[in-house]
Amino acid sequence: MTRIVVGILVVWSSALMASAEPTMVGLARRDVTPSFPVRLSGYNNRSSEASDVEQRLWAKALAIGSDADGPAILVTVDNLGVPATMTAEIASRLAASHGIRPERFAICASHTHCGPVLIGVAPLIVRDAKPEELRHIEQYTADLAAAIEQVAVAALADRKPGMLSWATGEVKFAANRRVLKQGAWAGFGTAPAGPVDHRLPTLRVTDADGKLRGVLVNYACHCTTLGGDFNRIGGDWAGYAQEFIERDHPGTVAMVAIGC
């Protein structure tokens, strides 16, 4: 976690590509930590719900553009993945309430393996869930959809003139986990010769006076630093990276995506 934060600071100190003119930018965040026990995604060896919170979970939104331009909204969320049905449902709501075109709305999950199961994401866990566990999964799925819609609307309401700038740095903790033997997959581990992407694209959002408002980083690394024996709610490395950035820059909204 320290290494990715250091990498972001290196990016900021390098040459930045900046927008030529101010644009309307809004940011928002919502706590999406469950208030009840729930099964976690990522590892099928977990057999019980998690109620202990190692770290709070967040949905965060970045809205770019004026109403005349047709704004775009990017949401990041601390979860294994978000089903296409949820994205489509929220996009439909935002189109009806705020005229947001569906192609200008996207959700990026951090892929933490310590986030709650959602309907449509972890079918084996859902299939094996007890009736009460299934009710909790369904409730959290509905709660998260509502929170994502709310944070998107809040980011739209937060828009004000600002500047966007970006650069690409490098952080080297990501590793290829697909071990091959004689060309065939042999399980998870570390494959030094396997393809890996250590680039760290970083988007910086400042207000009209140059004060930092938000940071969006993208790093191609699954949030799997904690194994299946760890049955506590948390955001893994992406969650800690956000936490450290926001701690070091009070008032800033830090967002982490891992790409496709």
Side-chain angles (χ1 to χ4, degrees):
M1 271 70 83
T2 300
R3 281 179 287 179
I4 193 168
V5 175
V6 170
I8 292 166
L9 295 178
V10 170
V11 167
W12 288 350
S13 66
S14 65
L16 291 167
M17 297 292 292
S19 53
E21 298 179 356
T23 186
M24 298 295 288
V25 186
L27 294 133
R29 62 206 293 265
R30 288 287 185 276
D31 190 329
V32 294
T33 311
S35 59
F36 45 83
V38 66
R39 295 287 295 271
L40 301 184
S41 282
Y43 299 106
N44 291 331
N45 65 319
R46 293 173 175 144
S47 59
S48 62
E49 295 182 312
S51 56
D52 294 333
V53 178
E54 180 74 13
Q55 187 183 41
R56 309 300 293 182
L57 304 180
W58 297 91
K60 300 176 181 179
L62 170 66
I64 301 174
S66 66
D67 289 340
D69 298 329
I73 304 173
L74 174 69
V75 174
T76 60
V77 61
D78 295 322
N79 201 278
L80 185 80
V82 173
T85 51
M86 181 182 291
T87 301
E89 177 184 355
I90 299 169
S92 177
R93 295 179 193 173
L94 292 173
S97 63
H98 290 79
I100 305 299
R101 300 208 298 267
E103 67 270 20
R104 294 197 171 190
F105 174 70
I107 303 173
C108 292
S110 68
H111 203 63
T112 175
H113 281 42
C114 296
V117 169
L118 301 177
I119 296 295
V121 173
L124 294 179
I125 298 175
V126 172
R127 183 199 65 188
D128 296 336
K130 300 173 183 176
E132 183 178 6
E133 293 175 344
L134 182 58
R135 285 194 295 271
H136 288 165
I137 294 170
E138 292 171 338
Q139 181 62 56
Y140 186 79
T141 301
D143 290 348
L144 183 62
I148 291 175
E149 180 183 6
Q150 291 164 5
V151 79
V153 171
L156 287 171
D158 183 66
R159 284 174 295 167
K160 53 181 68 73
M163 298 294 290
L164 301 174
S165 54
W166 67 275
T168 300
E170 186 177 65
V171 183
K172 293 189 174 181
F173 71 82
N176 190 296
R177 300 184 299 146
R178 268 64 178 180
V179 177
L180 302 179
K181 292 185 178 180
Q182 296 181 341
W185 184 61
F188 291 114
T190 301
V196 65
D197 186 356
H198 285 151
R199 291 172 297 177
L200 184 75
T202 301
L203 178 71
R204 183 175 69 176
V205 181
T206 58
D207 65 16
D209 297 323
K211 181 181 178 181
L212 185 67
R213 294 186 60 208
V215 177
L216 168 65
V217 301
N218 183 80
Y219 192 59
C221 181
H222 282 187
C223 286
T224 55
T225 64
L226 303 168
D229 293 334
F230 186 87
N231 196 31
R232 295 168 63 90
I233 296 164
D236 207 275
W237 73 257
Y240 284 105
Q242 295 173 72
E243 183 179 314
F244 294 163
I245 295 168
E246 292 179 349
R247 182 194 64 191
D248 292 343
H249 302 276
T252 297
V253 176
M255 305 168 66
V256 174
I258 67 166
C260 294

